[in-house]
Amino acid sequence: MTAEGRDPGLQPERTRLAWRRTTLSCTVVALLAVKQALHSGASPAGIVAVALSALAWLGFLLVAHRRVLGMGTARPQPLSALGALTAGACTVALAVFAAAMLF
């Protein structure tokens, strides 16, 4: 079968659902960061960590939204290198800011 005749089947739908699940996970992490900051007292470092977590979450949300929209076409384009780098950087940033809030 040639690349022109490729039938993607349900693969784009599974990828779209995976992006949505990952976005939901990032949302939960961001909300837990806010909860942790509120319960531990609003220290300046905690506020900065929550603000940076919110920015990382928004960055990931933007990449995920663009990817989900891109998966709606008959022949979705692969994720760009910049999109993959941004998603990875936002994920690592969320983990670093969460660790910073704990200490």
Side-chain angles (χ1 to χ4, degrees):
M1 180 175 274
T2 65
E4 299 300 322
R6 179 180 176 273
D7 177 19
L10 294 177
Q11 184 271 329
E13 180 66 20
R14 287 191 306 267
T15 303
R16 187 175 23 254
L17 290 172
W19 275 101
R20 289 185 189 255
R21 282 190 308 268
T22 306
T23 302
L24 179 61
S25 297
C26 282
T27 303
V28 169
V29 168
L31 290 174
L32 288 174
V34 170
K35 180 182 174 191
Q36 174 67 25
L38 291 175
H39 286 290
S40 67
S43 69
I47 293 171
V48 169
V50 168
L52 291 174
S53 294
L55 285 175
W57 173 73
L58 286 173
F60 186 86
L61 190 65
L62 178 66
V63 171
H65 181 70
R66 286 183 178 172
R67 188 64 186 147
V68 167
L69 288 179
M71 294 304 294
T73 63
R75 291 196 163 275
Q77 295 295 317
L79 181 62
S80 69
L82 180 60
L85 182 64
T86 303
C90 290
T91 302
V92 170
L94 276 173
V96 168
F97 299 142
M101 281 190 290
L102 293 176
F103 298 111

